[in-house]
Amino acid sequence: MTAKTTQPTLSTERLLLRPLALADANTIQLLAGDREVADTTRLIPHPYPDGLAETWIASLQPRYEKGEGVSFGITLKDGPLIGSIGLLLNQVDHHGELGYWIGKAWWNQGICTEAAAAILGYAFETLELERVFANYFARNPASGRVMSKLGMKQEGILRRHRCKWGQYEDLIVCGILRGEHQSLNKARARKRSKKAAG
Ligand SMILES: CC(C)(COP(=O)(O)OP(=O)(O)OC[C@H]1O[C@@H](n2cnc3c(N)ncnc32)[C@H](O)[C@@H]1OP(=O)(O)O)[C@@H](O)C(=O)NCCC(=O)NCCS
């Protein structure tokens, strides 16, 4: 993993994952300011204070240049910003912690899974990580389902590990290794070519 200055834009069937700009701050505040979005995240506050989105967005490029993390805005192709996804990077152990949120109006349409699949490709192929992991609150099965659809395996439960808005919460840890991701990709490619061959 080497330091880089220009963050790429990733493209999927329906989405573009692109660097965030200060012009996105109002949309971020509006979407992440929804209590239901903030409720199952570790860090998004509620209410979402004025100025926080600007401060956060301004921190992203320096963090990217230092190799500490990478965050993308998720947009529909030629459409609005609808969420965010990123990796916190550990350059010593070559792993990344995945995090994401999607605006409530776009839930349950496969958007997060599609975006996260692209991030896993980027993590293993471009950043050459060995492992990607993520955590979700036990009461957030939608996020658990996203991780399972990505091929991430449950690795453990950290009991009462987070204090979210005054309540201790169990955290479920999931992860996927580079070799597992490669095997899954090969299996998917085999399935696609079998289907194409009829
Ligand atoms: C978690 C979140 C990112 C999922 O985004 P999304 O775009 O709706 O995710 P997807 O559509 O790709 O997948 C969601 C899956 O969860 C399933 N799901 C939704 N609610 C569920 C529930 N209560 N119980 C079980 N499964 C549920 C959906 O049916 C779907 O699975 P399917 O494709 O097999 O039908 C979104 O709900 C969100 O932003 N939540 C608030 C922030 C957050 O929790 N971030 C993650 C912190 S770990």
Side-chain angles (χ1 to χ4, degrees):
M1 231 183 335
T2 50
K4 298 198 175 64
T5 53
T6 310
Q7 186 181 322
T9 290
L10 311 179
S11 178
T12 71
E13 195 183 332
R14 292 178 291 173
L15 309 170
L16 286 182
L17 311 188
R18 59 153 174 83
L20 284 156
L22 283 176
D24 297 316
N26 286 346
T27 309
I28 296 276
Q29 182 174 12
L30 186 76
L31 298 178
D34 185 328
R35 197 178 195 286
E36 283 188 72
V37 171
D39 179 47
T40 45
T41 65
R42 184 167 57 180
L43 291 175
I44 298 176
H46 190 81
Y48 197 101
D50 288 345
L52 179 64
E54 284 83 351
T55 306
W56 177 63
I57 291 167
S59 74
L60 298 179
Q61 177 64 19
R63 202 181 55 155
Y64 176 75
E65 288 179 15
K66 285 189 240 160
E68 294 171 356
V70 58
S71 291
F72 295 86
I74 303 171
T75 73
L76 296 172
K77 278 190 173 155
D78 300 323
L81 182 73
I82 60 171
S84 175
I85 190 162
L87 291 163
L88 281 177
L89 298 171
N90 178 316
Q91 299 204 48
V92 175
D93 302 312
H94 308 131
H95 63 228
E97 179 176 355
L98 176 67
Y100 45 69
W101 59 265
I102 304 291
K104 187 159 183 235
W106 294 275
W107 285 7
N108 296 325
Q109 299 172 37
I111 301 282
C112 188
T113 307
E114 187 170 326
I119 294 291
L120 289 186
Y122 173 72
F124 290 119
E125 286 149 33
T126 305
L127 300 180
E128 299 180 339
L129 299 185
E130 178 58 21
R131 154 182 168 78
V132 172
F133 69 101
N135 307 309
Y136 65 96
F137 290 146
R139 66 180 166 87
N140 187 10
S143 190
R145 178 76 188 126
V146 169
M147 292 179 204
S148 152
K149 286 192 287 179
L150 292 167
M152 299 176 81
K153 292 182 179 162
Q154 185 173 318
E155 297 177 333
I157 300 178
L158 303 176
R159 295 172 303 152
R160 294 170 78 75
H161 187 71
R162 295 262 175 243
C163 187
K164 173 79 183 185
W165 297 346
Q167 299 287 329
Y168 290 105
E169 302 241 15
D170 291 353
L171 207 62
I172 299 180
V173 184
C174 291
I176 182 166
L177 306 179
R178 162 200 283 283
E180 291 169 346
H181 186 253
Q182 283 168 343
S183 304
L184 275 175
N185 275 350
K186 277 186 196 149
R188 284 180 190 131
R190 273 198 302 273
K191 209 171 165 185
R192 272 197 305 272
S193 59
K194 241 186 188 173
K195 207 172 163 190

